[in-house]
């Protein structure tokens, strides 16, 4: 299935990318109406828009795009409505934070008690 | 080719009703969704579940599958479709499906035909349409040292390319990526045009890399600060001492104040995450004993016990 490996050096890295509403729609394969609805449900957030900024001038960062694409996958695969989607994503975030915190606390415990096992 | 037992994948019996199959599918899809599940191979399992449901939800496909299951499966688990087998209900004829069939197994394709087409198959339409390639998401785990100093990393991921027939074909891609210093956990890097190629002259998608921190044997992370536990001897704790402590990528000398207890925290300013507002390194002291004392040392401890007999380390426990 996979062809030969293709190794090249890429140093063009861009962590401050900004996307317009139009661009996130294109990348997510969805309509602007859906994105606007998702924003109103708090599923994704545009970069701090000034009060009354027209939707067409919204901008999104890479994390928001990644979250939108995740939301679209969940909606497509699990048939979740927007309210359910908003809650699922919030809970998933919370679980992720707690997992990390547990891993970190375990690590600190292991350090304190000299256990080399990180379990 | 291995035979795929779709009933086992969904965990239902051969005689399951359509309602039971739907229910089982929904449950498994929730459990193994790659955006939700932390199980190993969740991706693979999720695909299997989708494929199983694609067949079992459709009465015609299910009947064909049942027939094959009865006659085609060999005792060793391998599978060969009967000679001259041709599906009447499959995807071969450009039939519409809402499922993302391009990732179905060889087994599926052998039975139901051209699964490796996008949902809206039908040739010419896709060829002539300009479409941007998909963005590819990947996670990249880095060690603290790599985050602090920047590094070069090899990243492997899968993109989908269209072949001459408009079929999406997976291709493994490997890139060497220069990671700048000072990345934070959860931050994304975008590699322009390194995702799936576009169709009909459309742009390629991007590769989006999310940075993760790999667990470190010595250091823990708390916000912008780095935590490290440093063991000291009882006499160092009692008398004060200058000890060498590790920092990320280096080491420094630290003055332990006289009379330090286990758990005392000392702050090394600016030795945490680099940046405009660098974090600190926090050293947590931990008093440790030698495994064995010499008779001389034991005598000294006896003298110490005598000299400090008014000290009650358990006063907080009221005993």
């Amino acid at each position: 299935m996979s062809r030969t490996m293709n190794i090249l050096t890429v140093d063009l890295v861009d962590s401050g990318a900004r996307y317009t509403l139009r661009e996130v729609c294109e990348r997510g394969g969805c309509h602007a109406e859906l994105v606007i609805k998702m924003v109103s449900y708090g599923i994704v957030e545009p970069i701090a828009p000034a009060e009354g900024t027209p939707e067409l001038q919204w901008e999104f960062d890479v994390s928001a795009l990644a979250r939108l694409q995740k939301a679209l996958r969940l909606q497509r695969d699990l048939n979740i409505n927007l309210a359910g989607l908003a809650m699922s994503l919030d809970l998933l975030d919370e679980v992720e934070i707690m997992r990390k915190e547990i891993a970190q606390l375990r690590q600190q415990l292991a350090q304190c008690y000299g256990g080399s096992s990180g379990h | 080719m291995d035979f795929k037992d779709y009933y086992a994948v969904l965990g239902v019996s051969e005689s399951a009703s359509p309602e039971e199959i739907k229910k089982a599918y929904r449950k498994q899809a929730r459990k193994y969704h790659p955006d939700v599940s932390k199980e190993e191979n969740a991706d693979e399992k999720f695909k299997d579940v989708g494929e199983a449901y694609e067949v079992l939800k459709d009465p015609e496909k299910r009947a064909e599958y049942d027939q094959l299951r009865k006659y085609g499966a060999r005792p060793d688990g391998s599978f060969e479709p009967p000679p001259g087998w041709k599906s009447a209900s499959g995807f071969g004829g450009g039939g519409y499906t809402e499922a993302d069939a391009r990732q179905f197994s060889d087994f599926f394709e052998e039975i139901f035909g051209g699964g490796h087409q996008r949902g809206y198959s039908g040739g010419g339409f896709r060829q002539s349409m300009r479409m941007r390639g998909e963005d590819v998401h990947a996670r990249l785990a880095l060690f603290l040292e790599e985050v602090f100093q920047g590094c070069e990393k090899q990243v492997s991921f899968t993109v989908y390319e269209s072949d001459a027939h408009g079929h999406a074909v997976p291709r493994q891609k490997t890139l060497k990526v220069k990671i700048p210093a000072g990345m934070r956990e959860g931050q994304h890097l975008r590699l322009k045009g390194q995702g799936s190629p576009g169709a009909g002259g459309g742009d390629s998608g991007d590769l989006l890399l999310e940075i993760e921190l790999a667990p470190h044997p010595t250091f823990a992370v708390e916000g912008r600060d780095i935590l490290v536990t440093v063991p000291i001897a009882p006499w160092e704790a009692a008398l004060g001492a200058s000890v060498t402590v590790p920092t990320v990528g280096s080491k420094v000398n630290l003055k332990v104040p006289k009379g330090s207890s286990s758990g005392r925290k000392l702050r090394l300013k600016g030795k945490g995450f680099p940046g405009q507002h660098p974090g600190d390194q926090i050293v947590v002291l931990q008093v440790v004993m030698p495994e064995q004392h010499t008779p001389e040392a034991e005598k000294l401890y006896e003298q110490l016990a005598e000299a400090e007999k008014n000290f009650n380390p358990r006063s907080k426990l009221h005993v």
Side-chain angles (χ1 to χ4, degrees), chain A residues 6 27 69 104 107 111-112, chain B residues 137 174 206 216 218 221 286:
Chain A
N6 163 25
R27 280 153 197 268
Q69 285 169 333
Q104 204 177 90
Q107 200 192 341
Q111 274 181 18
C112 281
Chain B
H137 293 262
T174 302
D206 298 337
H216 196 283
T218 312
V221 176
Q286 186 195 17

Side-chain angles (χ1 to χ4, degrees), chain A residues 1-15 17 19 26-27 62-63 65-66 69-70 73-74 76-78 92 96 99-100 104 107-108 111-114, chain B residues 25 29-30 33 35-36 38 46 132 135 137 139 161 170-172 174-178 180 185-186 188-192 194 206 208 216-221 227 229 286:
Chain A
M1 295 271 248
S2 72
R3 272 184 234 159
T4 43
M5 283 198 171
N6 163 25
I7 301 194
L8 67 146
T9 301
V10 177
D11 21 31
L12 173 77
V13 277
D14 181 359
S15 56
Y19 303 96
E26 193 191 16
R27 280 153 197 268
V62 186
S63 304
L65 175 68
Q69 285 169 333
K70 184 173 172 178
R73 283 194 298 273
L74 286 168
R76 179 195 66 197
D77 296 334
L78 302 180
L92 283 174
E96 186 65 22
R99 274 196 186 120
K100 281 192 181 134
Q104 204 177 90
Q107 200 192 341
Q108 284 176 35
Q111 274 181 18
C112 281
Y113 297 109
Chain B
Y25 162 73
R30 277 201 304 274
H33 196 283
D35 284 312
V36 177
K38 285 284 162 196
F46 184 71
R132 196 178 170 279
D135 290 341
H137 293 262
R139 289 183 170 210
E161 285 181 339
R171 181 166 73 92
Q172 190 78 10
T174 302
L175 298 177
K176 259 190 193 160
V177 184
K178 270 198 186 130
E185 182 153 55
H188 287 81
L189 286 173
R190 182 173 70 160
L191 280 75
K192 251 190 172 156
Q194 297 296 343
D206 298 337
L208 298 169
H216 196 283
T218 312
F219 302 105
V221 176
L227 258 75
T229 302
Q286 186 195 17

Side-chain angles (χ1 to χ4, degrees), chain A residues 70 72-80, chain B residues 4 6 9-10 24-37 39-54 99-100 103-105:
Chain A
K70 184 173 172 178
L72 289 166
R73 283 194 298 273
L74 286 168
Q75 194 193 33
R76 179 195 66 197
D77 296 334
L78 302 180
N79 202 11
I80 311 176
Chain B
K4 280 205 179 239
Y6 291 143
V9 168
L10 290 183
Y25 162 73
R26 284 179 175 158
K27 199 168 172 183
Q28 302 277 7
R30 277 201 304 274
K31 187 172 169 196
Y32 292 120
H33 196 283
D35 284 312
V36 177
S37 176
E39 291 204 34
E40 234 178 288
N41 304 331
D43 217 6
E44 208 56 46
K45 282 178 178 157
F46 184 71
K47 272 183 223 157
D48 282 350
V49 166
E51 183 178 318
Y53 185 56
E54 189 61 33
D100 192 6
Q103 289 172 11
F104 286 171
S105 66

Side-chain angles (χ1 to χ4, degrees), chain A residues 48-92:
Chain A
E51 197 65 41
T53 304
E55 285 136 0
L56 280 173
Q57 284 170 29
W58 280 352
E59 283 193 314
F60 298 84
D61 62 16
V62 186
S63 304
L65 175 68
R67 198 173 162 84
L68 174 74
Q69 285 169 333
K70 184 173 172 178
L72 289 166
R73 283 194 298 273
L74 286 168
Q75 194 193 33
R76 179 195 66 197
D77 296 334
L78 302 180
N79 202 11
I80 311 176
N81 67 20
L82 289 175
L85 207 52
M87 190 163 95
S88 306
L89 284 166
D90 284 351
L91 290 175
L92 283 174

